[in-house]
Amino acid sequence: MRGLTGAGPDGARDSSQAVIAAGAALAAIALFVAACGTGGTGTRDEGPAHASAIAGAVASPRPNTTTGYRRVNAVSLIKNDPAVSATVKRGLKPCSGNDYPIEVTYGYLTGGSVNDVLINVSACSDWVGIGTYVYRDVGGTYKNVFKAEDSPVVSEIDGTDLTVTKQVYGTDDQVSNPSRETVITYRWKAGRFTERYRHDTFYSRTGGDAAAPTDN
């Protein structure tokens, strides 16, 4: 009985140590697995922040917020731009509530590191384009590098080209029946937009929907 009683505490002590050792081993394995699980895309997605936390003494660089996409307040940009005509500014009012008749497109037109901003302004009454503008980031400030205000006009980004569409009216033309449509393609070159080519479509005045397209 004494032998059994003496063996009890020692056996319990040995068992406790074994359990503690096993638990520590399992915890180490779990920590290793967790570290492997987050090492796939998490560090790349989050940038260098995790690396600095592990290194401790190495400070991570701040992300460069001056490159890539940067959203703008298009209404303020138009209203504060001295290059925009007073007529367009007066017409830039909410059509209903806070909805302004503007369309904003972001893209790379001028070869900069920050998205250029294309803004089309329309009239609330008939949604006809009254002005189109391109803004380029220059040292953190957007600068007007293109404008067209000969209404009706609208622009779009086509790859790295700027495509401007104009409706041209004769003296007796109605709004719904322009004499021709002119599509001009511009490309940024030597610090400005230069015309690459244009396409004119002349609409028939003899009836029907016939048109005679010509390239100039």
Side-chain angles (χ1 to χ4, degrees):
M1 289 292 292
R2 189 179 298 118
L4 291 174
T5 303
D10 292 338
R13 220 178 282 114
D14 293 341
S15 298
S16 298
Q17 291 175 351
V19 170
I20 293 172
L26 289 174
I29 293 173
L31 184 60
F32 175 78
V33 171
C36 291
T38 58
T41 59
T43 300
R44 289 194 295 271
D45 291 342
E46 295 294 333
H50 291 298
S52 64
I54 295 171
V58 180
S60 62
R62 295 177 64 86
N64 188 350
T65 57
T66 62
T67 60
Y69 171 81
R70 182 153 64 92
R71 189 170 183 175
V72 302
N73 185 326
V75 175
S76 295
L77 201 59
I78 292 294
K79 288 187 174 182
N80 294 322
D81 183 1
V84 177
S85 70
T87 301
V88 172
K89 290 181 179 180
R90 283 195 301 268
L92 185 57
K93 299 177 181 179
C95 297
S96 62
N98 292 322
D99 295 330
Y100 284 83
I102 61 175
E103 179 186 72
V104 185
T105 307
Y106 299 87
Y108 291 104
L109 288 169
T110 68
S113 59
V114 181
N115 280 151
D116 301 302
V117 183
L118 168 63
I119 302 177
N120 285 302
V121 181
S122 303
C124 288
S125 58
D126 50 17
W127 293 97
V128 169
I130 60 175
T132 183
Y133 312 89
V134 175
Y135 292 89
R136 183 176 192 261
D137 180 272
V138 179
T141 301
Y142 279 104
K143 178 183 178 182
N144 187 322
V145 292
F146 181 88
K147 74 170 184 176
E149 295 178 333
D150 42 347
S151 179
V153 61
V154 65
S155 297
E156 62 180 350
I157 297 175
D158 183 9
T160 57
D161 289 339
L162 174 67
T163 302
V164 181
T165 302
K166 302 178 181 180
Q167 302 291 331
V168 182
Y169 292 86
T171 305
D172 300 326
D173 290 343
Q174 298 179 352
V175 175
S176 60
N177 194 22
S179 294
R180 74 177 187 273
E181 179 182 85
T182 300
V183 179
I184 309 173
T185 300
Y186 296 91
R187 179 166 293 180
W188 186 260
K189 185 178 180 181
R192 65 187 185 91
F193 282 103
T194 57
E195 182 177 327
R196 295 188 64 203
Y197 49 81
R198 67 173 56 206
H199 179 86
D200 288 319
T201 300
F202 292 84
Y203 296 104
S204 173
R205 289 287 173 261
T206 59
D209 296 325
T214 63
D215 288 319
N216 294 335

